[in-house]
Amino acid sequence: MTQRERKTTIIGAGLVGALLATLLAQRGFAVDVFERRPDPRKAGYAGGRSINLALAERGLHGLRVAGLTDEVMRLAVMMRGRMVHHRDGHIELLRYGRDDSEVIWSISRGGLNVALIDAAQKAGAHLHFDRRLLSAEFGEQDVSLRFHDDSADSVHEHTAASVIGADGAGSALRGAMNAKTPLGERIEELGHGYKELEIPALPNFPSISLPPAAAAALARGETCAIERNALHIWPRGNYMCIALPNAEGSFTVTLFMPGQGDPSFATVSTGAEARALFERDFADAAPLIPDLEQDFAANPTGVLATLYLDRWHVHGRALLVGDAAHAIVPFHGQGMNCGFEDAVELADLLDAHADDTPWAFAEFERRRRPNAEAIATMALENYVEMRDSVADAGFLLRRELGRVLAERHPDRFVPRYSMVTFTRMPYAQAFARGAIQDALLRELSNGKQGIAEIDLAQADALVRARLTSLE
Ligand code: FAD
């Protein structure tokens, strides 16, 4: 294996690029990473979207392989389940898993990205900030890359044997690859957007606007205006709000709403209209967001879309990973988790086959693309479940029956959410087993009002007949 072969160039030091750089540098690769933004450790983190993220088993595994769990988990807040805020003011916790061993974690995007960039550098990767990829030319032997330094207004060049694009949903490398060899790109917009708002930590609340329950919590010395260890959700049919906790006691609230219709980002476009919407539909959250009008007006409305590609690599010269290859909607909290799985899989493949990068790139796509397509579908389906079905009686009965069957058949019946969130079973397998389970739950609960009406002996027989044992 020659030195040239154990060299890698990565575009993008976001979450996936920085983890991949760490894993490859730890395996002895000479790694160059080119990132459009300035160094966030000096300039401060300029993320642009989703202030915090849900980290689950697949993402945690990537951090474990890189030896970063202890450091990163210090930044994380446990979320035991969905805290559902119903229209009538009733609030209930729907646990994600069986106990506190099956939880997800809220983590600051900026904190995590900085930790990963630090780790990449410590492992020996060379990070080049202020390098925005402008173009890539694919030759017989190598790739010529041109970058722009937006702060110094200068152009820089770099030549590599091959290049990996971790430059996110709007990937410039993907654009260059597509121009060389069509990748079969399809971008399906969801037609719904999002807006981020904030519930401040109690000590930072303007005191005049503190509602009584929050004032009492502050008097007890607490920092959170709502339950800290949960992902809060206000399902409202065609739209919803969620809130994820931040370590210092604030919550990042995200309003998801269609672009058209009523209500939508077309009918709710000013701070005052947003305040009116919250007072009508998210009444318990409204008084906890003191800067709602200003934040609604100042923060951008995010666009949500799914990216599908028929090819992720070009002639062994270039490969896409993470959002650059498979951006998905955020409703399963899996985009980064899936990207971290990419990073582990690719680092292992390149390590084992450094003498045959084209084969490693093709094999990576063969292994990962069906899984990326499965999580893309499940993420879209989860939006309907989150904004709508969590408040629906049929869904709640199926969910309860699912839990009963999971207890009776822990080796066969595992809720799809759990397979995706708490295991590393390939997404495509979780999707296929989930479809069998869902059909079974619908069949058994059809026309039933409660769990007592369901014939569990029949259910047991069906589970054994239709689902293979996972052990
Ligand atoms: P990015 O994080 O987008 O990083 C790309 C990097 O490339 C950036 O640093 C960028 O500056 C750089 N770059 C871009 N263009 C260039 C260029 N031309 N030259 C050089 N550098 C460039 N995932 C979860 O797992 N859990 C969640 O709870 C979750 N919540 C989300 C909520 C929202 C609202 C959104 C939008 C996404 C959410 N995601 C979540 C998805 C997650 O954000 C992405 O999957 C993840 O950020 C992908 O990482 P990445 O490194 O591939 O891309």
Side-chain angles (χ1 to χ4, degrees):
M1 207 171 289
T2 67
Q3 190 55 28
R4 175 178 162 85
E5 284 151 359
R6 288 189 83 82
K7 264 186 181 175
T8 273
T9 296
I10 299 173
I11 312 297
L15 300 174
V16 176
L19 178 63
L20 179 62
T22 307
L23 294 171
L24 287 171
Q26 286 173 343
R27 285 159 172 76
F29 279 70
V31 183
D32 280 296
V33 187
F34 294 90
E35 164 59 48
R36 169 179 70 179
R37 294 173 299 176
D39 187 341
R41 296 166 299 182
K42 294 182 194 143
Y45 184 78
R49 64 184 186 162
S50 114
I51 288 148
N52 51 25
L53 302 132
L55 177 67
E57 175 54 25
R58 294 165 202 270
L60 273 166
H61 178 72
L63 297 173
R64 252 180 241 128
V65 175
L68 291 173
T69 339
D70 288 350
E71 188 183 336
V72 166
M73 292 316 278
R74 277 201 290 274
L75 311 169
V77 182
M78 182 201 280
M79 298 187 288
R80 293 196 167 91
R82 291 177 187 156
M83 186 69 83
V84 182
H85 297 245
H86 296 281
R87 261 187 200 279
D88 61 6
H90 171 60
I91 300 174
E92 64 177 331
L93 178 70
L94 302 180
R95 259 194 179 272
Y96 285 130
R98 282 172 288 208
D99 52 39
D100 280 359
S101 67
E102 293 185 333
V103 296
I104 57 174
W105 301 88
S106 176
I107 187 136
S108 141
R109 182 187 289 270
L112 177 58
N113 207 160
V114 164
L116 289 168
I117 284 172
D118 257 340
Q121 193 159 52
K122 277 192 197 129
H126 296 281
L127 290 139
H128 311 268
F129 293 99
D130 292 308
R131 293 288 181 274
R132 178 165 58 84
L133 182 70
L134 288 177
S135 64
E137 302 227 345
F138 304 93
E140 284 302 310
Q141 298 298 321
D142 49 29
V143 189
S144 303
L145 303 163
R146 290 180 78 234
F147 299 92
H148 191 253
D149 178 337
D150 292 342
S151 58
D153 192 18
S154 50
V155 172
H156 302 262
E157 292 182 358
H158 177 83
T159 302
S162 63
V163 58
I164 298 167
D167 50 345
S171 171
L173 184 65
R174 188 175 76 236
M177 289 163 67
N178 205 22
K180 166 97 179 154
T181 305
L183 303 176
E185 178 182 292
R186 298 180 308 287
I187 296 173
E188 288 183 11
E189 290 200 3
L190 183 65
H192 290 230
Y194 69 94
K195 184 80 87 174
E196 289 191 321
L197 305 163
E198 193 199 27
I199 296 177
L202 285 174
N204 300 334
F205 238 87
S207 55
I208 40 160
S209 56
L210 210 53
L218 179 61
R220 289 194 299 273
E222 294 171 17
T223 55
C224 294
I226 49 178
E227 165 59 38
R228 173 181 167 87
N229 293 117
L231 187 156
H232 293 262
I233 165 165
W234 289 259
R236 296 295 182 261
N238 202 27
Y239 56 107
M240 69 172 184
C241 259
I242 63 167
L244 271 70
N246 296 308
E248 89 293 356
S250 66
F251 288 77
T252 303
V253 178
T254 311
L255 168 67
F256 293 97
M257 210 163 50
Q260 298 297 324
D262 189 21
S264 69
F265 284 108
T267 60
V268 181
S269 59
T270 66
E273 285 162 351
R275 171 65 70 189
L277 173 79
F278 269 75
E279 280 172 2
R280 189 190 72 189
D281 290 343
F282 309 107
D284 60 336
L288 302 176
I289 312 175
D291 293 336
L292 200 161
E293 288 88 337
Q294 297 88 314
D295 286 352
F296 192 91
N299 294 348
T301 305
V303 176
L304 298 169
T306 307
L307 162 70
Y308 301 94
L309 296 176
D310 294 336
R311 291 177 59 116
W312 288 1
H313 68 102
V314 170
H315 309 308
R317 292 271 158 258
L319 172 74
L320 301 168
V321 296
D323 274 19
H326 49 71
I328 61 176
V329 295
F331 303 110
H332 222 307
Q334 284 291 318
M336 165 193 63
N337 286 284
C338 178
F340 280 10
E341 269 194 335
D342 283 359
V344 173
E345 184 99 55
L346 183 58
D348 284 348
L349 275 169
L350 287 174
D351 193 17
H353 304 277
D355 54 339
D356 195 352
T357 306
W359 183 87
F361 282 4
E363 179 64 8
F364 174 79
E365 181 194 313
R366 193 190 66 76
R367 291 188 192 179
R368 293 299 296 161
R369 204 153 59 80
N371 290 310
E373 282 170 7
I375 189 57
T377 304
M378 292 190 280
L380 284 163
E381 290 176 359
N382 225 41
Y383 187 28
V384 180
E385 179 179 320
M386 286 177 86
R387 66 182 203 222
D388 201 0
S389 320
V390 277
D392 169 78
F395 166 78
L396 293 175
L397 177 57
R398 289 197 296 281
R399 190 174 191 277
E400 197 186 342
L401 177 59
R403 275 182 187 272
V404 170
L405 295 182
E407 264 174 36
R408 292 165 82 91
H409 305 276
D411 61 323
R412 286 173 202 263
F413 194 106
V414 182
R416 188 173 90 177
Y417 184 88
S418 299
M419 291 188 278
V420 169
T421 310
F422 306 129
T423 80
R424 290 190 290 116
M425 173 193 298
Y427 287 120
Q429 194 186 339
F431 183 64
R433 290 187 75 97
I436 297 170
Q437 293 179 170
D438 187 56
L440 208 144
L441 291 178
R442 285 177 191 277
E443 193 177 319
L444 289 165
S445 64
N446 189 21
K448 305 286 193 302
Q449 303 305 312
I451 199 92
E453 293 178 27
I454 293 170
D455 180 348
L456 289 180
Q458 183 204 0
D460 289 344
L462 288 177
V463 168
R464 283 194 209 95
R466 293 188 193 167
L467 291 159
T468 52
S469 172
L470 288 166
E471 282 169 357

